[in-house]
Each structure stands twice: as structure tokens, then as C-alpha cells.
Amino acid sequence: LAKTTQPISMDSYEGQEVNITCSHNNIATNDYITWYQQFPSQGPRFIIQGYKTKVTNEVASLFIPADRKSSTLSLPRVSLSDTAVYYCLVGDPSGNTGKLIFGQGTTLQVKP
Amino acid sequence: GAGVSQSPSNKVTEKGKDVELRCDPISGHTALYWYRQSLGQGLEFLIYFQGNSAPDKSGLPSDRFSAERTGGSVSTLTIQRTQQEDSAVYLCASSSGQGNAKNIQYFGAGTRLSVL
């Protein structure tokens, strides 16, 4: 499974757009990029998944360049409730298990 | 149910005792996963079920850990002769296990295990 690298922490202010970039230089052809969010004392929550170009849902956007060696999670107009740990994962959903390999994640602190 | 349910939410036990942790996945989800999260750490994969079979047990840390799933639904993670290093939050997740959705897993709130 491809290893990911992302910043350990980020600070932002309410109303700003936050971009968290993840590096995955060894991503394989069949790998998808998936982002999860985790609040204290809760299990992770799926945010968004993509393979290439851009994916957008009601929560976030995911930008993936053509070489797929990195991806950027974009959170528009964050609020205090977006303070959480954000995990970037890559994996092949067509593989035998689909087990997720979580790194340390990025701790986002949103300030008033 | 509406989501993944885990019980108990908290478990305090003495070193050497056995514990059982339960997971009720989302109805209809064929894939079920157990993970462990130590304080301030990322998640560590333990075991994966597809239906009642466990094709990937590679994450179980020792033979004191075992898990089963019955009826393609409820799963139980058992830790025998608990040790203090077993203290962690044990998370269960389920997914439809189909195609690209296999990476989309729905997690329960976890069981916080404390071994004294």
C-alpha cells in the first residue's frame, strides 16, 4: 500500500478556505485517494474519494493532478466545528481486503 | 440500524482478564473491519471480514487476539489475558465491500479499553 505524507498540523481561522496537501509518490495505477475526518472520541468519518482530476461534494473538494503523486483536500469557509484530524489514504478498492492504512493525519485547528 | 454500533463504549479490566468487544455493522454491509487506536496515534488495522470469513488477519498483534463474525452481521473481538499495552480504543467499521466503495468505511464510536 502506498505511503502518504501530510503536514502534522495546520491552523486556520473561521471563514477561510483550508487546503491540506498529501503526497503519495508511490501511488499505484489502481489506487484511489480517500480522505477521512476524525473528531475526538469518535471514529473516522469518510469525507471524499477520488481517482483523478477534481471531485466535489457537499463537504469538500479533492484536487488530484495528472501525475496523481499528490492530492489536495479543500475545505471551503471552515468553522470551529471543522477542528479535527484529517487523514489521507491511498489504496486499491479492488484489492483483496480494502483495509485502510492510516498515517498520523493532519490536525486542523480552526480559531475564531 | 442507522450506523455501526459498538459495545461497550468503555471497558475497564484487570490485567490477565479476558474481554469481549462487540460490533453491529450497518445492515447489509458484507465487509467488516477492526482497528485499534492508541492515545494520540493513527489507526492500526487488526482484521477484515468478508461475510463470516476473515481473509486478512494480518493485523492481529498476538495469538491472544481473536475475532469472529456470525450470520454475516455481528462481530466479536476477544482479547485473552489482557495486558496493559492492550489499552486503546478499538474501532469497528463496515462497508458494502463493493467496487470503489470498499475504501468507504463507516466507523462506530469505538470501545475504550483500559487495562489496569
Side-chain angles (χ1 to χ4, degrees), chain B residues 40-64:
Chain B
Q41 302 297 310
L43 279 76
E44 174 190 4
F45 167 80
L46 297 178
I47 188 170
Y48 155 69
F49 286 93
Q50 179 61 43
N52 293 334
S53 300
D56 190 345
K57 306 179 183 179
S58 62
L60 294 178
S62 75
D63 58 8
R64 296 187 294 105

Side-chain angles (χ1 to χ4, degrees), chain A residues 31-34 36 38 41-46 49 87 90-104, chain B residues 31 33 35 37 40-45 48 55-56 58-59 91 99-110 112:
Chain A
D31 284 344
Y32 277 67
I33 300 155
T34 313
Y36 281 79
Q38 186 177 25
S41 302
Q42 295 187 25
R45 182 176 75 104
F46 168 81
Q49 177 171 270
Y87 295 98
V90 295
D92 178 4
S94 67
N96 290 332
T97 71
K99 70 182 180 185
L100 301 177
I101 306 297
F102 285 81
Q104 294 302 304
Chain B
Y33 304 79
Y35 297 86
Q37 186 170 32
Q41 302 297 310
L43 279 76
E44 174 190 4
F45 167 80
Y48 155 69
D56 190 345
S58 62
L91 290 155
N100 299 344
K102 193 177 291 182
N103 282 2
I104 301 174
Q105 298 180 12
Y106 298 85
F107 285 79
R112 182 175 299 277

Side-chain angles (χ1 to χ4, degrees), chain A residues 52-73:
Chain A
K52 62 181 179 180
T53 63
K54 176 183 175 182
V55 180
T56 297
N57 61 22
E58 65 277 6
V59 176
S61 294
L62 179 60
F63 298 92
I64 306 168
D67 66 6
R68 305 199 327 121
K69 293 184 181 298
S70 67
S71 59
T72 299
L73 175 72

Side-chain angles (χ1 to χ4, degrees), chain A residues 6 29-30 36-37 45 64 68 70 79 83 89 99 106 109:
Chain A
Q6 53 185 123
T29 301
N30 293 334
Y36 281 79
Q37 174 192 55
R45 182 176 75 104
I64 306 168
R68 305 199 327 121
S70 67
S79 64
T83 293
L89 303 94
K99 70 182 180 185
T106 297
Q109 180 71 48

